[in-house]
């Protein structure tokens, strides 16, 4: 029995698997799913997450659901390229890693339906879509027209696979991962970039009217006036801000997202496309990165690949993470600029987290220092980017499950 890209394991494959532009078109739903738009396809097309039988790398394949969609809790799809389809052969070697359906990623088990069980389902699907069926799978369509044993024989070469969601604690969940929400990284695309630019322009224009109120966005008066870890690094700032947000998760769940921030690390959870337009080379992640979970005092955190790095000054899990812009020499002994970026987590009475972000800046009065470290124009821009960052950390930490990055 031979196998190959155009041969099936259980019988002759009637047509070659798609290549080139045809494959790219069929993979288009995967592109949308990866960016959080799976709800556009969830009723008709799902994405199977599986692992290559030879390479061991993770794969995603878009699969069309058989009519009438989910039946008795199962999502049923047919291998249109027969038993030689790559995704089907991968399932024979390894269990599925998940099924993306709409806006959810489900842990699933799978089974291959017996031909007698699949026959009526496939027959009804083909008859419901005669033109598409005749064009997409002419061999199976012709066998249906002939009927009888020819259709039953042909069906054995085009198996139907049923995926059933499982949950943690289920007797079938030993190989399954928990249900995960499909989350799109922050700040990507034209719309979000225009949003950021619009907000920055608006805040620059409105600064004379907003006054100092923006400096305490989301924070109570007590929080704005409180002494926080890291304040001692810039004891007499020329200006400072304190932002705050409530995260409906314990500090231990928020902390992993905080400590992996940085260029070349987890990003800044802000307007990624805008940051990259000025060369930051940021990649916002939506998973916890194990390799960046144990920062040490003195570690570098970069905002841009070519600018001087900031340094980790305080690491106190899961309470405070402080980054310090070490005093920068600008050209004279009296010239300096220094700042802090303080992220402080406190647990509330109901188990949520108050996440505070504080920045303090001090500098000598040279024009260059005032431009790059003074309140204007830096503060309105920083507010827009920082607000987005805090809201994104809140969104990620409040997700039903935190996703640990696996091998890529």
């Amino acid at each position: 029995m031979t196998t190959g890209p155009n041969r099936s394991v259980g019988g002759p494959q009637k047509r070659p698997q798609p290549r080139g532009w045809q494959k790219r078109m069929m993979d288009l739903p995967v592109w949308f799913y990866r960016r959080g738009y799976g709800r556009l396809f969830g009723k008709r097309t799902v994405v199977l997450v599986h692992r290559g039988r030879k390479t061991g790398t993770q794969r995603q394949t878009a699969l069309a659901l058989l009519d009438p969609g989910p039946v008795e809790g199962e999502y049923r799809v047919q291998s249109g390229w027969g038993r030689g389809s790559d995704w089907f052969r991968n399932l024979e070697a390894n269990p599925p890693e998940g099924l993306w359906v709409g806006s959810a990623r489900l842990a699933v088990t799978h089974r291959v339906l017996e031909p007698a069980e699949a026959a009526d389902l496939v027959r009804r699907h083909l008859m419901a879509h005669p033109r598409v069926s005749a064009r997409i799978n002419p061999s199976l369509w012709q066998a249906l027209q002939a009927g009888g044993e020819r259709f039953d024989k042909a069906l054995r070469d085009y198996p139907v696979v049923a995926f059933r969601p499982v949950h943690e604690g289920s007797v079938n969940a030993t190989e399954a991962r928990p249900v995960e929400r499909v989350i799109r990284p922050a700040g990507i695309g034209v719309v979000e970039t225009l949003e950021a630019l619009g907000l920055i322009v608006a805040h620059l224009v409105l600064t004379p009217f907003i006054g100092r109120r923006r400096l305490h966005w989301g924070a109570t008066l007590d929080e704005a006036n409180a002494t926080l870890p890291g304040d001692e690094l810039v004891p007499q700032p020329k200006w400072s801000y304190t932002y705050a947000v409530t995260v409906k998760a314990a500090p231990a769940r928020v902390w992993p997202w905080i400590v992996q921030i940085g260029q070349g690390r987890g990003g800044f959870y802000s307007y990624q496309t805008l940051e990259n337009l000025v060369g930051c080379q940021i990649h916002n992640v939506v998973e916890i990165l194990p390799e960046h979970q144990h920062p040490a005092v003195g570690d570098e955190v970069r905002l841009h690949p070519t600018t001087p790095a900031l340094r980790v000054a305080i690491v106190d899990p899961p309470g405070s993470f402080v980054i310090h812009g070490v005093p920068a020499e600008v050209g004279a002994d009296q010239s300096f600029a220094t700042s802090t970026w303080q992220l402080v987590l406190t647990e509330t009475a109901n188990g949520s987290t108050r996440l505070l972000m504080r920045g303090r800046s001090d500098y000598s009065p040279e024009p260059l220092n005032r431009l790059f470290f003074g309140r204007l124009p830096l503060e309105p821009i920083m507010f827009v980017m920082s607000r987005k960052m805090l809201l994104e950390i809140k969104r990620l930490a409040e997700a039903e499950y935190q996703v640990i990055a696996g091998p890529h």
Side-chain angles (χ1 to χ4, degrees), residues 17-267:
Q17 294 192 47
R19 295 289 185 266
W21 69 267
Q22 186 182 18
K23 186 177 188 304
R24 288 194 290 272
M25 290 298 295
M26 297 192 70
D27 287 341
L28 192 59
V30 177
W31 188 90
F32 281 92
Y33 263 98
R34 287 174 177 169
R35 286 153 182 79
Y37 297 116
R39 62 185 180 277
L40 300 175
F41 298 91
K43 294 182 179 180
R44 302 295 308 176
T45 303
V46 297
V47 170
L48 172 66
V49 184
H50 53 107
R51 198 158 290 276
R53 62 196 177 277
K54 295 180 180 178
T55 64
T57 57
Q58 191 182 87
R59 310 285 188 186
Q60 292 105 30
T61 303
L63 301 173
L65 291 176
L66 291 173
D67 283 346
V71 176
E72 298 178 353
E74 291 184 332
Y75 297 88
R76 298 174 178 179
V77 300
Q78 186 173 33
S79 180
W81 277 266
R83 293 180 177 272
S85 293
D86 286 332
W87 68 267
F88 184 82
R89 296 175 68 189
N90 287 343
L91 286 185
E92 290 182 316
N94 301 297
E97 297 207 345
L99 193 71
W100 294 359
V101 182
S103 60
R105 178 174 177 175
L106 308 176
V108 293
T109 57
H110 79 290
R111 66 186 183 94
V112 179
L113 273 61
E114 294 294 332
E117 184 182 3
D120 186 57
L121 180 65
V122 174
R123 184 181 293 107
R124 285 188 288 117
H125 180 83
L126 294 175
M127 295 301 294
H129 309 278
R131 292 184 180 179
V132 174
S133 300
R135 185 173 69 253
I136 296 297
N137 200 330
S139 175
L140 195 59
W141 175 254
Q142 292 167 10
L144 175 65
Q145 301 305 304
E149 292 184 3
R150 183 176 172 185
F151 179 68
D152 294 338
K153 182 179 179 181
L155 194 58
R156 287 194 290 271
D157 294 332
Y158 296 95
V160 174
V161 180
F163 297 97
R164 178 176 291 275
V166 296
H167 305 283
E168 281 189 303
S170 166
V171 295
N172 295 320
T174 54
E175 298 287 342
R177 299 172 64 187
V179 177
E180 300 167 357
R181 284 162 52 179
V182 178
I183 303 176
R184 185 187 183 209
I188 297 176
V190 175
V191 173
E192 297 227 29
T193 303
L194 292 176
E195 173 191 296
L197 291 172
L199 287 171
I200 289 172
V201 171
H203 278 276
L204 286 169
V205 171
L206 293 174
T207 293
F209 306 98
I210 294 174
R212 301 183 65 83
R213 288 177 293 174
R214 186 173 55 209
L215 297 175
H216 302 148
W217 176 81
T220 66
L221 184 60
D222 287 343
E223 289 171 334
N225 293 329
T227 299
L228 299 182
D231 283 355
E232 69 279 4
L233 298 172
V234 183
Q236 296 181 319
K238 286 193 168 54
W239 71 279
S240 67
Y241 62 86
T242 303
Y243 308 142
V245 67
T246 297
V247 183
K248 295 179 181 177
R253 286 191 57 180
V254 183
W255 178 259
W257 303 102
I258 298 292
V259 296
Q260 65 184 24
I261 63 173
Q263 189 271 339
R265 294 159 56 89

Side-chain angles (χ1 to χ4, degrees), residues 1-3 7-11:
M1 187 180 299
T2 61
T3 62
R7 293 270 187 169
S8 67
V9 176

Side-chain angles (χ1 to χ4, degrees), residues 162-385:
F163 297 97
R164 178 176 291 275
V166 296
H167 305 283
E168 281 189 303
S170 166
V171 295
N172 295 320
T174 54
E175 298 287 342
R177 299 172 64 187
V179 177
E180 300 167 357
R181 284 162 52 179
V182 178
I183 303 176
R184 185 187 183 209
I188 297 176
V190 175
V191 173
E192 297 227 29
T193 303
L194 292 176
E195 173 191 296
L197 291 172
L199 287 171
I200 289 172
V201 171
H203 278 276
L204 286 169
V205 171
L206 293 174
T207 293
F209 306 98
I210 294 174
R212 301 183 65 83
R213 288 177 293 174
R214 186 173 55 209
L215 297 175
H216 302 148
W217 176 81
T220 66
L221 184 60
D222 287 343
E223 289 171 334
N225 293 329
T227 299
L228 299 182
D231 283 355
E232 69 279 4
L233 298 172
V234 183
Q236 296 181 319
K238 286 193 168 54
W239 71 279
S240 67
Y241 62 86
T242 303
Y243 308 142
V245 67
T246 297
V247 183
K248 295 179 181 177
R253 286 191 57 180
V254 183
W255 178 259
W257 303 102
I258 298 292
V259 296
Q260 65 184 24
I261 63 173
Q263 189 271 339
R265 294 159 56 89
F268 294 103
Y269 315 118
S270 192
Y271 293 101
Q272 174 180 308
T273 301
L274 180 60
E275 291 168 325
N276 289 341
L277 286 176
V278 294
C280 290
Q281 299 179 25
I282 299 296
H283 175 65
N284 290 332
V285 303
V286 292
E287 64 266 349
I288 293 169
L289 305 175
E291 65 270 28
H292 296 305
Q293 290 303 301
H294 304 287
V297 172
D299 284 356
E300 292 186 350
V301 176
R302 291 190 174 274
L303 306 178
H304 190 284
T306 62
T307 59
L310 307 178
R311 298 282 180 175
V312 176
I314 298 175
V315 183
D316 183 19
S320 54
F321 184 65
V322 178
I323 303 171
H324 186 205
V326 194
E329 299 296 333
V330 180
D333 292 340
Q334 302 88 346
S335 181
F336 73 93
T338 183
S339 61
T340 56
W341 195 8
Q342 302 152 248
L343 293 157
V344 178
L345 298 80
T346 58
E347 188 166 5
T348 65
N350 64 1
S352 294
T353 299
R354 284 292 284 173
L355 170 58
L356 275 63
M357 176 190 290
R358 176 173 289 177
R360 292 161 69 89
S361 183
D362 191 16
Y363 50 91
S364 53
E366 289 78 17
L368 200 61
N369 280 352
R370 291 201 303 270
L371 176 64
F372 288 105
F373 294 92
R375 184 185 169 197
L376 295 175
L378 180 62
E379 184 265 325
I381 300 171
M382 184 174 294
F383 169 77
V384 172
M385 305 301 285

